[in-house]
Every structure is written in C-alpha cells, then in structure tokens.
Amino acid sequence: MAEAHQAVAFQFTVTPEGLDFHLSREAVRQLYLAVISSWKKRFVRAKNSFLTGVYPASPSSWMVVVMATAGSFYCQVDPSLGLIARIRHCLPESRLLSYKSRTMVSAALFSTGVWLLAVLLFRQALRLLLSYHGWMFEPHGKMSRSTKIWVALMKVLSIRKPLLYSFQTSLPKLPVPSVEATITRYLESVRPLLDDEKYSKMEVLAKEFKEKTAPQLQKYLILKSWWTTNYVSDWWEEYIYLRGRSPLMVNSNYYAMDFLYVTPSHIQAARAGNTVHAMLLYRRKLDRGEIPPMMALGIVPMCSYQSERMFNTTRIPGKETDTLLHLVDSKHLAVYHKGRFYKVWLYYGGQLLPPCDLELQFQRILDDPTPPQPGEERLAALTAGERVPWAEARARFFSQGKNKASLDAIERAAFFLTLDEEEHGYMPSQEGCMDAYAKSLLHGQCYDRWAHTPPTYTPPHGTHPALTPRTPCSWFDKSFTLVVYKNGKLGANAEHSWADAPIIGHLWEFMLATDKFQLGYTEEGHCRGEPNTRLAPPQRLQWDLPEECRTTIEASYRLAKALADDVDFCCFQFSDFGKGLIKKCRTSPDAFIQISLQLAHFRDKGCFCLTYEASMTRLFREGRTETVRSCTAEATAFVRSMGDVRQSRAERQRLFKLAAEKHQHMYRLAMTGAGIDRHLFCLYVVSQYLGVQSPFLAQVLSEPWRLSTSQTPQQQLKIGAVAPLTQPPPQVADDGYGVSYIIAGENLITFHVSSKFSSSETDSKRFGRNIRQAMLDVAELFDKPAQKAA
C-alpha cells in the first residue's frame, strides 16, 4: 500500500476541526520531474522539426549569411540593392530603435529572407535530383557521366548528417504510369501462363479496356495524384488492409525471430527487461527524429513515413472498416502472462525505467499466483477471429465500466508484451523446432501445437500437448506484440496495415544489437544495476465478462484455432552457400533465388503460376510496395531447359542470364513506379467509385497468386547472428505457397515456406526440399564447389 499512496500528491480528510491535508513530497517530486521531462521532450521535438524543415541548410548557415551581409555593410557595399533601406523605412521609429539599430534589424530580416529562399532552392534542387532513377538501370560496375555528376551533386546537397525526416518533403511523388505501358507489361507477364486461345481473349479484353474505359479512369487517377502525396498508399491501406473482414492472424500479420544461435540470457524477466528498454530507446530516437533514414547507395534516401506509427498504435475493429488509433505518446506497457493482463508503467520521475527495474516488474508478474478471471484467459482470441464479431463485441461489452478501462489500457499501450510459458528456439538436434517456433509467433497457442510436426520433435521438459494452455497470446490488433519465452528466446508478431515488414526490421535489428552489445547482462544473466524496490507493482487489469461475451470469445477462438491448425509450415536454413557464391554467377542474389523458386514450383506441381514478389517503392514519398511478377517468359524458358536433357550447360547458362536480367529489370521498374499491379488496382477502385464495369479489371484482380514471395533484407546493422523477420505474403491462394526468405550472409539463406494442410496439392516440406535442390542445381551450372556441396 505504501507504493500506492506515493502515487497521490495530496489527500485530505474532513474532521470536526476542518480539512486535514496530507502532502506527499515524493509524489510532488515525481510530478515535477515528469513535467520537466515532458517539456524537454517537446523542446527536442521542436528543435529537430526545425532542423528537418530547413535541411540541407543549418542554423549555422543562417549565421554565415547574416555575418556576410553585415560585413558587406562594413565595407560600404549594399548587397540588397536598396531592399535593406526599404525594410528600414517600414520599421516604426521609436526611442528604443535608433537609426543604426533599425539598419541592423533590416539587414537581419533581409539575410533571413535570402537564407530561406536559398533553402527553398536547395530543397527543390534536391527533389529534382531524387527524381532521377537512371542509376538503377545501369550495368553493375559501370556508371555513365550523367550518373557521376548526379552522385557528386547528391553528395554536395546531403553533406550534412540528415535526421529521419530530413528528406521527406524533398522526395518525389509516385508517378502514374501510362495505361498503354501498364497493359503492355501486363500482357507480357501473363503470356507464359496462358495458351494461345486464352491469351487471345485476354488481348481482346485489354484492347477494349484501353480504348473505351481506361481513358476516363486514368484522368481521375491523375487528378488524384495531383492533390495527394501518394496516389496508391491511402487506398492500399484502406481497401487491402483496413476493410478486410477476415482474421488478421495468419492472413495479414507477420512475425520476427530472435538470434538463431545466440541467447544473451536465459532468464525470462531479464531478457524482457533489456529488450523492452532497448525498444523504448528506439522509440525515443524515433520521436526525436534522430534515427538516420535508410539510404540506397549511401546517398538515396527512402521514405520514413511508415515509421511514425510503429509505437502507441492499435487497429480498432469496425463493422465495415477498421481504423488506426495512434497516440503521440504512451507511458505504459500492456503485458500478458498465463491468461492474465497487466499494465506496467514505463517511467518513474519522468525517466525511462532502466532494464533492472523492468526485470523486477516482469518478475513480479511471473511470480503472481492469482488465476485468470472468468473469460480472461482467451480474451485475445477476439483479435484473432473475424473483424465484424469483434467490432460488435467491442461496442456491446467493452464500451463502459471496468472493461472499457482495461481495454483502453491495452489499446493505448506503447506495445504489447507476452511472457510465454513455453520454450522455443533453434535447436539443431530437434527436427521441426523451427516450424513450431514460427507457428507460435504467427498465431500463438490457438492450435494443437505438435499435431502436425514430426515425431522427432519433442516438447521441452516433457510437456504434453494436452496439458498446454491453447490460448492466443498475442493481441493481434497492436502494431506489434513482443513475445518472450520461458527460456529467454524472443519473437514478435506485427500487424500489417500501418507499415511493411522492413520497418519493423529496423526496430528489431536495433533492439537485438542494443540488447546484446550495449546493455548486456551480469554473469548470472540478470540485467545490470540495482532495481528500485519502491516501484509500485504492475496493475492487474480487471474484467467483467458476461456469459454472452464469453460465448463470442469462444466462437472467435474456435475459428482462430481452425485457421491455425490448417497452417503447414516449413522453416529451414540453407547453408550450402549464400550470396558469396551467388555473386560468382554474376547475378543478383534475389534474381537467383526467384528463378530457383520457379524451378522448384515447376518440379512440385508440374506447371507455372502467377507469382507475387513484393518490392518496395519507398524511393517515393509515402511509398509502400509494388508487385514484381517473377514468372516471366525468360524464367519459364530456363526452367524448361533444366528438364530437357538435350540442352547443353552453356545454353542453360545463357537462358539463366537472360531470365536474371529480365527479373532485375522488372524489379527496377517496380521500384521506380513503373509497376503493373498498383496502377491496375487504383484504376479498379476508380471504376467502383464511378460505377463503371470492366471485364478486364475484374479478370485481372480475380487471378490467384499461387506462389507468393517476399524478401526481408538485413538492412540496418551488422550483427553477429541471424534474426529472421518474415511474413506470409499477401493474397496467397488456398492451393498455393507462400515463401519468405532472408539472404543472411555469405553462406546462409533462411527460408520460411507456408501452405495449407487442407489443400491436397501442397506440402510445405516437399516444396522446401524442392527449393533446396533447385538452388543446388542452378548453382551447379556456374560453380564446381556447389556440385561438391550437393
């Protein structure tokens, strides 16, 4: 109770003698420190916003202009050509301002105007330079004269160290491709998938659309591109994500993993303490804009807009569409353990809690013996089920009283933390351990954990599936959920609407590096430092869930469990070679893997299919993703040659190089705004607004992606172990495969393959074996050591 009383600055009691006041000095001190910290934060934000607004100039450059103007006056030279005298004439005369003082003020105002004009010119020049993408299409190792001049100018204009948002307003807008170019590229992409008759029908539909319907839709789209920052992103967020009514779990959310080979501490509370503190350090840098933007070639900035909603963000369910709740700040954390929810304050005296204090708070939660309240244990299943029942339940059962207060504590938290009772991680001697690890992060415990894993994988410490609590442990609506397992391993589950996977990847790499190499642990594995035992304990969230609400929770749980049980996962490390050997093939690692995936899929199913590969468009302001249609005519020709014994090794090498060059060209087109699918998607949205029916667009958007892929690069830091971050790629057909991969180093590539058990045409482990063999077969064409490795 003593800690609770400290939270109140003063109390009063009515007595016969009057009012009796009791003042808590400690509480007043904490309030004072909190106010000081808040104002410091506001000042830093304001300062960095100013520095961002005048980039590439700086306050010191303003001083140089002012001093140069003053120096010219000293030399009796008027650089303003009479403007300073006019400004002086407009200033009011008074005893406080002498003639000389008015002259100095006029010179300062003139200098400021000149400086602001120079800032605008520099920023416009920067925008023009960033609109140049010719460097991307030049052969590797060769640079044209125009690109060399462009590089030199970019280095001059960005010589100052930029803040996170320094380039935001200088980034170009995403261009709207011409309808003719998009349709031409579309027909080219589907040609290897259609026979002559079907292709002829598609050509007729495309021609009719181009001549009759498309011109009207294109005009509206160009008009939208004029008044919006990005003509795709707002519709993509709304119609692809927020209006989706199916469960977020599995269908949309993605996951991240810990170091594969290193566990800094096996103490659960200690690992959680360091990790949470590292994430809060990242949030502070993010709030202040102190994180440098991601740069291609070290000089080309990428859009940082998606980072704004990383923390303090929750997806709120609605009957027709969801909304994103984002707060400027949040001072607490929502924690789940053994079916119970807690609220943990992250600040004390206006300062972030150090890792040792966070460890103390989390250990208090782990030691709490109280059972869950009725219905509380599976409450998170509401976020794992369909969106409409969750929206209705939220409006009916969580709109007032203690339920509203507890739900607000979760939705307004910085992020969500789960202290899991299970043990997971990479164990070389345990086959299937990575599959169980991935499934745990993707959809929690709402499945029979070992129902579909190989019998060689035994649960840790001899536990039995029947004794394992089968409840979802992630709050799937939060921007991300951090999961800390009993053995100290980490993971995360992230919601997709607010940003794409690379954004969480920045945070994840920073957190792992800070945890391992900066914060560290004692020899016993605890966080460094002495904890403050006077901290008030975590607040247990209270619920009053009637029988009807519990019935809704149970229905969502059953649906989520069925969805989770249908996920067939195969995670494996391909260590025969990595990007080191691939580069000897004189091609990009991504093209090598994508062509290998085409070969693997053809061997698995005996046919080709429409293939989705995610490419980023963050070279443009508020850019997100574009589709690279990886199944090209060149790729299919190479794949067929691998099954034709009459083809020579030299011919296969030639066909592979053609396929790789084509893939790289398609990828570059997608990155520079000349993709196919986002343009067609926006044309379709416009057609729906106008009530215009288009058989061509209806056909295009109904085509299933039976192979959907994505690559998450190691982007931000050079760290000593591999931390996979992957996702089920979007729009995967029920009878298709999703493949995520990370080129983790010179000799390692990690693959995550997903499909559905309910499909008789797919088998993730079989496809994983085909991927491995395809990689080896392609490498064998170019390098003899690969043949020995096989």
Side-chain angles (χ1 to χ4, degrees):
M1 291 298 292
E3 293 88 348
H5 285 305
Q6 289 179 6
V8 183
F10 70 93
Q11 298 174 334
F12 67 90
T13 306
V14 180
T15 66
E17 291 79 16
L19 295 176
D20 183 19
F21 286 91
H22 297 278
L23 186 66
S24 170
R25 293 184 178 179
E26 178 62 20
V28 172
R29 176 177 174 272
Q30 296 303 322
L31 289 174
Y32 168 76
L33 292 175
V35 170
I36 294 298
S37 175
S38 176
W39 279 103
K40 284 183 178 178
K41 185 183 295 184
R42 292 183 184 184
F43 173 77
V44 172
R45 284 178 178 171
K47 181 195 73 172
N48 288 339
S49 295
F50 173 75
L51 294 177
T52 295
V54 301
Y55 189 87
S58 65
S60 59
S61 64
W62 173 78
M63 289 294 298
V64 170
V65 174
V66 171
M67 292 176 66
T69 304
S72 63
F73 258 84
Y74 181 79
C75 298
Q76 297 183 347
V77 176
D78 184 4
S80 69
L81 302 178
L83 280 177
I84 293 178
R86 292 186 180 183
I87 296 173
R88 181 180 59 213
H89 180 72
C90 295
L91 293 177
E93 296 184 9
S94 68
R95 290 180 297 176
L96 298 177
L97 280 177
S98 63
Y99 179 85
K100 186 176 182 180
S101 298
R102 291 203 308 273
T103 302
M104 293 177 62
V105 171
S106 301
L109 291 174
F110 170 78
S111 302
T112 302
V114 170
W115 180 73
L116 290 175
L117 180 62
V119 168
L120 291 175
L121 291 175
F122 278 131
R123 292 180 74 86
Q124 187 61 34
L126 195 56
R127 180 190 288 262
L128 292 174
L129 288 173
L130 291 175
S131 300
Y132 173 74
H133 298 123
W135 57 272
M136 192 175 294
F137 294 90
E138 293 184 350
H140 181 69
K142 297 181 181 179
M143 188 179 295
S144 64
R145 181 178 300 176
S146 59
T147 299
K148 289 179 180 178
I149 295 173
W150 171 79
V151 169
L153 291 173
M154 280 296 303
K155 288 182 177 180
V156 169
L157 285 179
S158 56
I159 192 170
R160 280 189 58 230
K161 183 180 179 181
L163 298 174
L164 181 62
Y165 302 113
S166 292
F167 293 101
Q168 280 301 98
T169 56
S170 299
L171 290 172
K173 286 188 175 183
L174 183 69
V176 181
S178 69
V179 172
E180 183 176 359
T182 296
I183 290 179
T184 300
R185 284 194 286 267
Y186 169 78
L187 291 174
E188 182 184 356
S189 72
V190 297
R191 185 64 187 95
L193 307 175
L194 303 175
D195 58 32
D196 292 342
E197 182 180 355
K198 290 182 179 180
Y199 182 74
S200 297
K201 291 181 179 179
M202 183 57 73
E203 277 187 316
V204 172
L205 289 176
K207 182 179 180 181
E208 181 183 5
F209 172 74
K210 181 174 65 173
E211 295 176 351
K212 296 181 179 180
T213 311
Q216 180 188 11
L217 304 182
Q218 181 78 347
K219 289 177 182 177
Y220 280 95
L221 201 57
I222 292 174
L223 185 62
K224 180 178 186 286
S225 72
W226 288 351
W227 76 62
T228 59
T229 308
N230 189 296
Y231 81 95
V232 175
S233 294
D234 55 343
W235 283 350
W236 186 254
E237 180 179 295
E238 180 179 359
Y239 293 108
I240 298 301
Y241 293 116
L242 296 181
R243 284 186 179 267
R245 303 292 82 197
S246 58
L248 304 184
M249 186 191 78
V250 173
N251 294 317
S252 178
N253 286 27
Y254 54 95
Y255 64 91
M257 286 182 172
D258 195 4
F259 293 119
L260 290 184
Y261 309 115
V262 177
T263 306
S265 174
H266 292 281
I267 299 175
Q268 186 177 19
R271 190 80 199 280
N274 260 14
T275 302
V276 169
H277 185 77
M279 287 183 165
L280 294 175
L281 292 178
Y282 187 88
R283 184 179 71 164
R284 183 165 65 186
K285 288 178 174 288
L286 194 65
D287 289 343
R288 297 175 176 179
E290 294 174 348
I291 300 169
M294 294 301 301
M295 308 283 278
L297 298 181
I299 57 172
V300 186
M302 299 184 189
C303 179
S304 302
Y305 166 74
Q306 296 180 54
S307 301
E308 294 179 3
R309 297 180 291 183
M310 184 178 298
F311 294 92
N312 326 321
T313 300
T314 304
R315 179 168 170 171
I316 305 298
K319 291 185 179 181
E320 294 184 359
T321 182
D322 293 352
T323 55
L324 288 174
L325 170 68
H326 174 67
L327 306 176
V328 175
D329 196 10
S330 178
K331 297 183 181 299
H332 72 275
L333 188 69
V335 183
Y336 174 91
H337 176 246
K338 280 190 174 180
R340 304 159 304 171
F341 294 85
Y342 298 83
K343 180 179 182 180
V344 177
W345 291 103
L346 300 172
Y347 291 83
Y348 184 77
Q351 300 295 319
L352 279 177
L353 291 183
C356 57
D357 286 352
L358 290 169
E359 178 185 357
L360 171 66
Q361 298 292 65
F362 298 145
Q363 192 60 52
R364 286 172 170 174
I365 293 175
L366 294 173
D367 295 339
D368 184 359
T370 58
Q373 301 162 69
E376 182 183 18
E377 184 176 10
R378 291 182 176 175
L379 180 61
L382 289 171
T383 69
E386 292 183 340
R387 305 305 290 171
V388 174
W390 172 209
E392 293 173 345
R394 187 178 185 275
R396 185 177 179 187
F397 303 113
F398 299 89
S399 59
Q400 59 185 354
K402 62 174 68 174
N403 288 350
K404 184 180 188 305
S406 295
L407 183 62
D408 282 347
I410 295 174
E411 292 181 341
R412 294 176 174 271
F415 56 93
F416 195 83
L417 168 66
T418 292
L419 299 173
D420 201 291
E421 279 298 286
E422 294 192 342
E423 297 185 3
H424 281 288
Y426 175 61
M427 293 165 277
S429 60
Q430 301 272 3
E431 183 182 352
C433 64
M434 287 293 291
D435 302 347
Y437 186 15
K439 285 174 71 71
S440 174
L441 292 171
L442 184 62
H443 48 61
Q445 301 174 10
C446 53
Y447 64 97
D448 291 324
R449 189 170 294 278
W450 294 286
H452 305 294
T453 52
T456 52
Y457 176 53
T458 56
H461 300 303
T463 56
H464 190 273
L467 303 178
T468 302
R470 299 171 186 166
T471 56
C473 56
S474 294
W475 196 269
F476 294 100
D477 288 353
K478 289 299 292 182
S479 54
F480 68 91
T481 295
L482 172 66
V483 182
V484 183
Y485 294 103
K486 194 172 183 178
N487 59 347
K489 279 294 183 182
L490 298 176
N493 180 286
E495 201 274 318
H496 212 323
S497 64
W498 62 274
D500 301 309
I503 306 303
I504 279 287
H506 305 164
L507 165 68
W508 201 246
E509 292 181 8
F510 176 90
M511 177 272 295
L512 290 177
T514 304
D515 170 37
K516 170 68 176 175
F517 303 117
Q518 294 184 23
L519 299 178
Y521 300 87
T522 65
E523 292 182 0
E524 295 78 19
H526 292 282
C527 296
R528 293 172 178 170
E530 290 296 325
N532 180 8
T533 56
R534 296 178 300 169
L535 287 173
Q539 176 186 342
R540 177 77 184 274
L541 299 185
Q542 300 299 312
W543 308 93
D544 182 13
L545 306 175
E547 188 62 34
E548 290 178 86
C549 181
R550 280 180 264 171
T551 301
T552 304
I553 293 172
E554 190 63 28
S556 293
Y557 166 73
R558 287 196 299 270
L559 187 149
K561 181 180 182 301
L563 187 63
D565 283 343
D566 198 26
V567 175
D568 179 13
F569 243 102
C570 177
C571 303
F572 64 94
Q573 290 79 49
F574 183 85
S575 56
D576 296 86
F577 57 85
K579 64 180 179 182
L581 185 143
I582 293 175
K583 288 178 180 178
K584 295 180 180 179
C585 303
R586 295 184 179 180
T587 187
S588 77
D590 183 69
F592 183 97
I593 294 173
Q594 285 291 329
I595 295 170
S596 298
L597 289 175
Q598 292 298 319
L599 177 59
H601 186 273
F602 187 79
R603 289 173 174 175
D604 187 89
K605 288 192 172 183
C607 64
F608 297 103
C609 69
L610 196 61
T611 303
Y612 182 108
E613 182 188 2
S615 163
M616 67 89 180
T617 56
R618 289 169 60 202
L619 294 176
F620 302 95
R621 193 172 179 185
E622 295 185 18
R624 292 200 61 162
T625 60
E626 177 59 273
T627 304
V628 181
R629 294 180 168 230
S630 302
C631 186
T632 61
E634 291 80 0
T636 58
F638 167 74
V639 169
R640 293 187 189 280
S641 75
M642 292 294 286
D644 188 351
V645 295
R646 295 171 298 177
Q647 295 288 349
S648 65
R649 179 189 181 101
E651 178 63 13
R652 289 172 178 171
Q653 288 178 348
R654 186 186 70 83
L655 292 173
F656 174 85
K657 290 179 179 179
L658 289 176
E661 289 172 2
K662 179 65 175 180
H663 178 270
Q664 288 176 270
H665 182 70
M666 295 285 289
Y667 202 96
R668 290 162 180 162
L669 286 174
M671 287 184 66
T672 54
I676 301 169
D677 291 278
R678 299 301 178 267
H679 186 203
L680 294 176
F681 161 74
C682 289
L683 289 172
Y684 176 79
V685 173
V686 173
S687 73
Q688 295 303 297
Y689 278 130
L690 299 178
V692 176
Q693 299 300 318
S694 170
F696 172 74
L697 290 177
Q699 175 68 24
V700 170
L701 271 73
S702 65
E703 293 170 342
W705 302 95
R706 289 193 169 86
L707 180 58
S708 193
T709 69
S710 64
Q711 178 196 172
T712 303
Q714 300 286 319
Q715 298 182 41
Q716 183 165 281
L717 299 169
K718 300 293 184 180
I719 52 181
V722 182
L725 186 142
T726 185
Q727 64 188 83
Q731 307 172 18
V732 181
D734 289 341
D735 57 349
Y737 289 109
V739 181
S740 292
Y741 53 94
I742 299 176
I743 304 171
E746 296 296 316
N747 298 294
L748 181 64
I749 304 170
T750 61
F751 286 93
H752 299 245
V753 182
S754 62
S755 61
K756 292 189 175 182
F757 283 111
S758 57
S759 172
S760 59
E761 299 181 25
T762 58
D763 184 322
S764 292
K765 289 181 174 54
R766 182 187 71 205
F767 193 49
R769 291 192 295 269
N770 284 328
I771 292 174
R772 184 184 295 275
Q773 190 58 51
M775 294 277 289
L776 293 171
D777 290 347
V778 174
E780 185 181 351
L781 293 175
F782 297 90
D783 198 84
K784 293 181 180 179
Q787 185 176 7
K788 295 179 181 178

